[in-house]
Amino acid sequence: MFSFATYSYPKTESFKEILVSSAAAGILIYLFLIIFQPFGTDSFRHQYKYLLLFPYSLIFGIAFMTADLAAIRFKDWNVGSELLKATGILFLASILSYFYNIFFISHVTISFSNYLYMFLYCLAVGIPISTIYILFRYIYLKKIHEKKAEQVSVYLSGNPGTADRKATKTLFISSNNIELQISEKHFVCAQSMENYCSVYFYENEKITKTVLRISLYHLLNQIQTDSVKKCHRSYIVNLDKVKKIQGNAQGYKLSLSEIDFEIPVSRSFISSIIPQLRSSIS
């Protein structure tokens, strides 16, 4: 029922994007208040009524920005995380709005019942705005992922043979009584299956698959280079063999020549894998 909560949600580390999206959310709050004038706002009479309402825009904008900056610290992010963040935003905004209201507008005494009213008001205003914020930000960040993936794919398709131009290294793999020596430019990828690993590499110009009794961790310790890296808890990939990359809100997937499956890039590895693929563009 709640499986949608585990669905990946795109996350950004761009301060500019966080600032702009938070400001947009704050402006939407302000427009909501001055257009619909809910909760008795229409009967509120004051010379500077709309000026007094504007700080609520700042309060919600600050709450959104604070939550987004805090979210940067987390590597994995999904819909459940985003909903939890939205809940935190509403709590923070309700507290700040409550103190602003009692000190500058209503001048009522501090009490839990008065705060509860403010919290309900913030829910009524904040839920629709947060929904719009989450949906539009999802669409925008999804397009950012896809654009980055497309840029890398265009470069990779127009610049084949990267591995062939590098100095050849030999990868030594030792597993039980099996010893393998594979040229780095011939290594393609490795896939973990519990205590075994399937190693894919070129042999006599054809893809060969060898299953070894070895953990991905120990295999990585033997073969990791500048190009051969772990990109997922179950995969090691030779970045020089990547021919296409697809990206969206769920992350990135790598396509390799003559391999009939895509290799996922975990969120925790995006910061190290994707920039290396993109660096060849600039």
Side-chain angles (χ1 to χ4, degrees):
M1 180 179 177
F2 297 102
S3 59
F4 74 95
T6 60
Y7 197 75
S8 296
Y9 186 93
K11 191 164 68 75
T12 181
E13 295 183 359
S14 168
F15 178 77
K16 180 180 178 180
E17 190 279 329
I18 290 174
L19 181 62
V20 171
S21 60
S22 299
I27 291 172
L28 286 175
I29 292 290
Y30 183 63
L31 292 175
F32 187 94
L33 291 176
I34 65 175
I35 293 174
F36 298 102
Q37 299 196 34
F39 320 124
T41 305
D42 57 334
S43 59
F44 176 62
R45 299 289 180 263
H46 195 282
Q47 182 180 0
Y48 303 109
K49 173 180 177 177
Y50 296 115
L51 187 61
L52 288 172
L53 291 176
F54 184 72
Y56 289 113
S57 172
L58 297 178
I59 286 170
F60 272 87
I62 290 171
F64 273 94
M65 185 169 66
T66 300
D68 285 332
L69 291 174
I72 293 178
R73 300 169 60 90
F74 298 90
K75 290 183 178 180
D76 296 321
W77 202 255
N78 53 38
V79 172
S81 305
E82 189 68 14
L83 293 176
L84 186 62
K85 186 188 77 174
T87 303
I89 289 171
L90 295 178
F91 268 110
L92 178 58
S94 67
I95 293 171
L96 296 177
S97 297
Y98 172 67
F99 284 108
Y100 169 70
N101 180 268
I102 64 173
F103 288 130
F104 297 98
I105 299 180
S106 63
H107 304 288
V108 297
T109 57
I110 297 176
S111 69
F112 179 74
S113 60
N114 286 335
Y115 166 72
L116 188 58
Y117 279 115
M118 179 56 72
F119 177 67
L120 293 176
Y121 293 157
C122 287
L123 284 182
V125 177
I127 287 177
I129 301 301
S130 295
T131 302
I132 294 172
Y133 173 85
I134 290 173
L135 290 176
F136 274 85
R137 199 157 180 257
Y138 176 92
I139 294 170
Y140 171 76
L141 293 176
K142 179 176 180 289
K143 289 182 178 179
I144 293 297
H145 278 280
E146 292 173 343
K147 184 177 180 180
K148 290 179 180 178
E150 184 180 357
Q151 289 175 335
V152 176
S153 292
V154 168
Y155 175 85
L156 292 173
S157 62
N159 293 271
T162 303
D164 295 333
R165 297 194 295 268
K166 291 185 176 181
T168 301
K169 295 181 181 178
T170 301
L171 308 179
F172 297 92
I173 302 174
S174 177
S175 171
N176 293 336
N177 296 323
I178 299 176
E179 301 286 339
L180 284 179
Q181 295 185 26
I182 306 171
S183 171
E184 181 183 7
K185 68 179 182 180
H186 291 156
F187 177 82
V188 179
C189 66
Q191 180 182 19
S192 174
M193 300 172 292
E194 296 183 354
N195 295 323
Y196 293 85
C197 282
S198 296
V199 179
Y200 296 82
F201 58 95
Y202 282 97
E203 187 175 41
N204 298 323
E205 299 183 354
K206 292 183 179 180
I207 289 289
T208 298
K209 174 184 175 182
T210 298
V211 179
L212 303 174
R213 185 176 177 81
I214 186 173
S215 68
L216 195 74
Y217 173 80
H218 288 102
L219 178 61
L220 181 66
N221 286 340
Q222 295 182 37
I223 65 174
Q224 182 168 248
T225 66
D226 291 339
S227 299
V228 178
K229 293 182 177 294
K230 183 179 180 181
C231 63
H232 184 273
R233 64 183 179 183
S234 300
Y235 291 94
I236 296 172
V237 63
N238 186 344
L239 297 180
D240 289 335
K241 297 299 182 182
V242 177
K243 299 301 180 185
K244 184 179 179 182
I245 176 172
Q246 294 178 300
N248 50 44
Q250 288 71 56
Y252 294 94
K253 292 184 178 180
L254 309 177
S255 297
L256 289 73
S257 297
E258 299 185 41
I259 297 294
D260 59 359
F261 56 87
E262 293 179 323
I263 297 179
V265 179
S266 298
R267 286 182 175 272
S268 57
F269 292 101
I270 287 178
S271 60
S272 59
I273 298 297
I274 302 305
Q276 183 168 337
L277 290 172
R278 294 183 65 203
S279 63
S280 55
I281 298 176
S282 55

